[in-house]
Amino acid sequence: MKGLGLCLTFVFALIACESSAPNTTPQPPVADILIASDMPITDFDGSAVPWQHAIQLALDQHHGKIGRFKLAYWSLDDTVAGAALQEKGIQNLERLQDDHRVLGVIGSGPSYVAAAEIPIANANPVPLVILSPSNTRACLTRSQPACYAAADELRPSGRNNFFRIAPPEPLQGAAMARYLVQHLNLRRAAAINEMGDDGMAYIDSFSDQLAQLGGELVLTKALDSGTMDFSEFMANARAKGAQAIYALGSPDDKVCVAASQMSPGMLFLGTDNFTLAPLCVKQAGDAANNMFGTLADVDATQLPDAKKVVDEYRTKYPATDPGSIYTFAAYDCANILIDAIEYAINANNGEIPKRIDVLNAVARANARYRGVTGTYTFDANGDAKDPLMSVYQVKGGQWTFVQRIDLV
């Protein structure tokens, strides 16, 4: 605990120093309308840099204009000491709130920062739209017993201003059940849960979708993380006719060892807790090629219809990887905002709209935003009705993109 206290003291000291130091935060560009972002640009792995590039690409493709108005991108960084920090995100959102030219924000990276930012952007009298490519924490839009705050507590104005194309985490369960039945033609599964209540949310989603498609979850077993012997569970699953094992857990806790103990012919299914993880492949051993996993993103570099946009990205930003997670989700978010602002301008007789008009345009029920990662319409909670979702399979010892999976 002392180490944590020292770390937090160091982080807050950095913020204090930053506030007293000369202002090095990027100043807003000169434009009539601004689309902004708040993301961890300078975090340790630099994962948000490609998102920043993808957003700028979207604006460049519109030639920096919406109608007769000059459009520009203002990128803010919520990183302190190499990690995204709520307090920095709040500072950034307050700054964006104060500039009337900002009509929408893309971000944040992690869900815990979004939880702090949503109420700031939601405050009366002018809720500011936040559109996220990456926030998957279910609590941001759906109140659940384990939530750190009820969804309505994040919205003091009483109306929703937060939208996301990334799925609430448990929907990965429904996506995997749909893939199991519709693409693998299997209908009986058993589930391992090493994630407690969070894991049960995935399993409930998996089980409900499986039942809707004529399948059945025949066995669910809660196990301690770090379990190494799955033989009793596997025997019971086999006796109940399970054709696949749905596993909720982490390769760091050895959950993929269970794959090595399956009966021949069984499949091992999971979520982004281990999808793309080389350690999971290693733990599964000879059974690795029987593993499938969902990912809350769509790799546009694998989609033929997205080739033109991906090639443009590679030409403009050759030093960054266009296949990085959420890169083209950020690109799609930028285009959704551009579309909504354009719609609001037209509805406002060609004049710059108010923020509330842009919010209403994003939320309108008949909108269908066609992006490179999917086509998006939002429900009343701000969730995409058919969110980002992919299925991967291990082939030849490597996680390999299979396809986008639709939930509509």
Side-chain angles (χ1 to χ4, degrees):
M1 293 301 291
K2 287 183 179 179
L4 177 60
L6 288 172
C7 179
L8 290 174
T9 299
F10 173 67
V11 168
F12 290 125
L14 282 175
I15 297 174
C17 289
E18 180 184 83
S19 64
S20 61
N23 187 358
T24 57
T25 304
Q27 296 301 304
V30 177
D32 303 305
I33 296 172
L34 297 176
I35 286 176
S37 69
D38 181 69
M39 301 182 298
I41 302 300
T42 56
D43 68 352
F44 287 124
D45 64 7
S47 60
V49 173
W51 309 355
Q52 186 183 37
H53 291 165
I55 294 167
Q56 185 62 60
L57 176 63
L59 270 70
D60 290 346
Q61 289 173 338
H62 286 80
H63 308 291
K65 296 188 71 176
I66 297 183
R68 61 190 175 89
F69 301 109
K70 184 176 180 181
L71 171 69
Y73 171 39
W74 186 13
S75 174
L76 295 181
D77 184 4
D78 58 23
T79 305
V80 176
L85 195 70
Q86 285 186 331
E87 288 78 3
K88 184 62 176 176
I90 290 171
Q91 288 180 4
N92 289 343
L93 257 294
E94 288 174 341
R95 188 175 183 201
L96 296 176
Q97 279 280 72
D98 289 342
D99 193 320
H100 70 277
R101 297 172 300 160
V102 177
L103 296 184
V105 180
I106 299 168
S108 64
S111 294
Y112 67 86
V113 176
E117 293 180 342
I118 293 169
I120 303 299
N122 187 269
N124 281 318
V126 281
L128 176 61
V129 170
I130 296 180
L131 186 56
S132 174
S134 62
N135 297 152
T136 59
R137 183 66 175 165
C139 297
L140 295 177
T141 57
R142 307 176 181 198
S143 295
Q144 298 178 349
C147 289
Y148 34 71
D152 58 355
E153 292 178 38
L154 301 179
R155 294 157 175 81
S157 74
R159 64 178 303 151
N160 179 56
N161 68 305
F162 174 76
F163 304 84
R164 58 178 169 189
I165 63 174
E169 292 157 345
L171 282 186
Q172 291 188 59
M176 182 53 78
R178 179 168 290 199
Y179 187 79
L180 182 69
V181 174
Q182 295 183 341
H183 298 274
L184 300 177
N185 200 30
L186 302 177
R187 285 175 169 75
R188 296 177 67 81
I192 296 168
N193 182 21
E194 294 187 359
M195 291 172 54
D197 290 342
D198 285 344
M200 280 309 303
Y202 288 85
I203 290 171
D204 288 345
S205 177
F206 177 83
S207 178
D208 290 348
Q209 183 71 192
L210 196 61
Q212 289 178 29
L213 298 173
E216 182 181 3
L217 184 64
V218 298
L219 175 67
T220 300
K221 180 70 173 178
L223 296 171
D224 293 333
S225 60
T227 296
M228 295 291 288
D229 183 1
F230 298 89
S231 56
E232 181 180 354
F233 170 82
M234 291 300 176
N236 290 336
R238 182 173 60 252
K240 292 178 179 293
Q243 301 161 303
I245 306 299
Y246 188 48
L248 277 300
S250 164
D252 292 336
D253 294 322
K254 311 293 194 299
V255 73
C256 298
V257 169
S260 69
Q261 298 174 25
M262 294 187 303
S263 297
M266 274 189 177
L267 301 182
F268 195 72
L269 317 174
T271 72
D272 57 8
N273 285 306
F274 61 72
T275 303
L276 301 186
L279 180 57
C280 185
V281 176
K282 181 177 180 181
Q283 290 173 0
D286 293 341
N289 287 343
N290 288 331
M291 293 199 302
F292 293 80
T294 48
L295 188 71
D297 187 32
V298 175
D299 183 358
T301 67
Q302 304 296 317
L303 304 177
D305 291 347
K307 184 179 185 304
K308 182 177 182 295
V309 173
V310 172
D311 287 347
E312 287 185 45
Y313 181 99
R314 285 180 166 140
T315 298
K316 189 173 179 65
Y317 302 108
T320 61
D321 179 10
S324 297
I325 191 166
Y326 297 123
T327 294
F328 284 95
Y331 172 87
D332 281 348
C333 284
N335 277 310
I336 289 170
L337 277 178
I338 291 169
D339 180 278
I341 294 169
E342 186 172 34
Y343 180 92
I345 288 172
N346 291 334
N348 196 38
N349 299 315
E351 298 300 327
I352 293 177
K354 297 178 180 179
R355 287 174 176 171
I356 194 67
D357 299 324
V358 176
L359 188 157
N360 290 336
V362 172
R364 67 190 193 275
N366 61 347
R368 283 182 61 79
Y369 302 103
R370 298 184 184 279
V372 296
T373 63
T375 298
Y376 302 105
T377 301
F378 299 104
D379 65 19
N381 296 320
D383 288 326
K385 294 181 180 179
D386 185 16
L388 290 167
M389 197 81 72
S390 298
V391 174
Y392 282 72
Q393 179 184 1
V394 177
K395 297 181 179 181
Q398 301 291 324
W399 285 103
T400 304
F401 176 85
V402 177
Q403 68 176 68
R404 175 189 161 88
I405 185 76
D406 294 331
L407 287 177
V408 292

